Amino acid sequence: MISTSWIEPDTTTRPVAVIGGGVLGRRLCMMWAAAGHTVHLYERAPEVASAALKYINDAMPQQSTKLGTKQGSVLLSSSLENAVENAWMVIEAIPEILPLKIELFGQLDQLTPPDCILATNSSSYKSSEMLQHVSRKYRVCNGHYYMPPDQNYLEIMTCGYTDPSIIAFLMEQSSAAGFVPIHAKVESTGLIFNRIWAAIKRESLLVMAEGVGTAEDIDQLFKGWFHAEVGPCEMMDRVGLDTVYNIEKHYVEERGLDARPIEWLKEKYMDRGLLGRKSGSGLLDEESNGIHQNGHAQ
């Protein structure tokens, strides 16, 4: 019989495991390691793993100094099993493709100790959607991070079965690691800020698709009105336009929203390999070059 109770794990001798070394995964490795934890990173693409380690090594000393902590270490794992076998927490940071997440959580349920917390970084999928092959549902939750070390908010949300003591434990541990934890009180497709942010992204894309304004126009107005350092288009470029598309596609499908913004994004950017900062060109670069006026390629 599977136990449904959770016992607090030892965080001093056991690692945090991060699955996925992309834009956000590498930042999570850096943050937890800077706070003194040992972190195991599992990333199958060698070039992504290499870029992740470079970012971590460059950014960790400053973050560790900021926290006043003795920095830990980030180790690349050659297999998923090696990465997670003794972890106290596993953070899933793979692309926003639900079948991949369902498969991964089934594997994690088998490979990890029963007290290991399984957290998805997903911003658009509820962790309850990933439980098909999970027997120990009490240790699964959403733990969605933003863009540390600049935006250190972390939203934590139940899967519907999550042991309440895990929520309190993660609030405490993440705060000590330099994050600002927020508890999303009930299950939601998209967490608190993501729901608001998604509306801004969709309308920004539609403004460009209809030729009403450029990415520069949108960001200039947004930053001016809200005294923000970064506008919506620059943030989408930072996150990756493929990630933006996958997130918004889920919202469109689940809520019956207008699909025109993401259809335009796919046709004008993704299908041409323009994914934002990671590809070297995105919304801001293309718009400033006058390539997409009135929603059409010139």
Side-chain angles (χ1 to χ4, degrees):
M1 183 175 176
I2 298 295
S3 170
T4 57
S5 61
W6 178 77
I7 300 172
E8 188 174 304
D10 179 6
T11 63
T12 61
T13 61
R14 292 166 59 181
V16 172
V18 177
I19 313 304
V23 173
L24 202 48
R26 66 190 62 173
R27 291 167 181 265
L28 304 185
C29 290
M30 185 279 291
M31 289 288 291
W32 283 101
H37 292 271
T38 298
V39 179
H40 292 175
L41 170 61
Y42 178 62
E43 169 54 61
R44 290 188 295 181
E47 67 278 7
V48 176
S50 177
L53 284 180
K54 182 180 186 309
Y55 168 80
I56 291 162
N57 290 331
D58 289 346
M60 197 184 334
Q62 181 178 354
Q63 179 63 19
S64 183
T65 299
K66 180 180 175 182
L67 291 175
T69 52
K70 181 181 179 181
Q71 67 185 48
S73 58
V74 178
L75 307 172
L76 282 179
S77 292
S78 57
S79 71
L80 179 63
E81 183 175 6
N82 289 339
V84 307
E85 62 182 352
N86 192 39
W88 69 265
M89 176 172 64
V90 178
I91 304 171
E92 171 270 306
I94 67 173
E96 290 286 85
I97 301 171
L98 186 57
L100 297 181
K101 295 177 186 288
I102 291 171
E103 179 184 4
L104 176 60
F105 270 83
Q107 293 175 299
L108 294 176
D109 190 50
Q110 296 296 316
L111 294 173
T112 56
D115 61 351
C116 177
I117 298 165
L118 305 181
T120 174
N121 182 59
S122 180
S123 63
S124 60
Y125 288 103
K126 293 176 284 192
S127 49
S128 60
E129 298 179 83
M130 306 171 195
L131 298 176
Q132 283 89 326
H133 308 304
V134 175
S135 57
R136 298 179 179 91
K137 297 178 174 62
Y138 62 85
R139 70 230 188 85
V140 177
C141 64
N142 281 74
H144 174 60
Y145 300 80
Y146 287 85
M147 197 60 71
D150 302 315
Q151 291 291 341
N152 289 331
Y153 291 98
L154 162 63
E155 289 195 53
I156 303 170
M157 183 174 76
T158 181
C159 73
Y161 301 92
T162 313
D163 189 317
S165 56
I166 285 179
I167 305 292
F169 180 76
L170 281 182
M171 298 278 284
E172 179 184 344
Q173 291 293 323
S174 60
S175 180
F179 296 102
V180 182
I182 304 289
H183 181 201
K185 307 298 190 295
V186 299
E187 277 196 283
S188 168
T189 297
L191 286 84
I192 300 169
F193 183 76
N194 285 104
R195 291 181 61 164
I196 299 165
W197 175 234
I200 294 171
K201 287 186 289 183
R202 283 194 301 273
E203 200 61 32
S204 296
L205 293 171
L206 195 55
V207 164
M208 288 183 281
E210 293 179 347
V212 179
T214 66
E216 283 85 358
D217 296 332
I218 293 166
D219 279 15
Q220 182 179 356
L221 287 163
F222 188 93
K223 289 189 285 187
W225 272 103
F226 298 108
H227 305 288
E229 294 182 3
V230 180
C233 298
E234 182 178 349
M235 184 56 71
M236 284 189 274
D237 279 345
R238 287 187 184 185
V239 169
L241 301 184
D242 51 343
T243 300
V244 170
Y245 175 83
N246 287 331
I247 292 169
E248 298 309 312
K249 185 172 184 287
H250 180 53
Y251 288 139
V252 166
E253 292 170 348
E254 180 152 322
R255 295 184 178 150
L257 300 172
D258 187 352
R260 288 178 297 159
I262 62 168
E263 290 171 352
W264 176 83
L265 181 66
K266 183 176 186 302
E267 178 186 351
K268 301 299 182 184
Y269 290 87
M270 292 178 60
D271 289 350
R272 299 170 60 220
L274 308 176
L275 304 180
R277 191 170 283 187
K278 62 184 172 184
S279 72
S281 189
L283 295 171
L284 282 169
D285 307 281
E286 291 290 288
E287 288 286 344
S288 64
N289 291 334
I291 292 177
H292 295 142
Q293 298 296 329
N294 300 319
H296 299 288
Q298 299 294 311

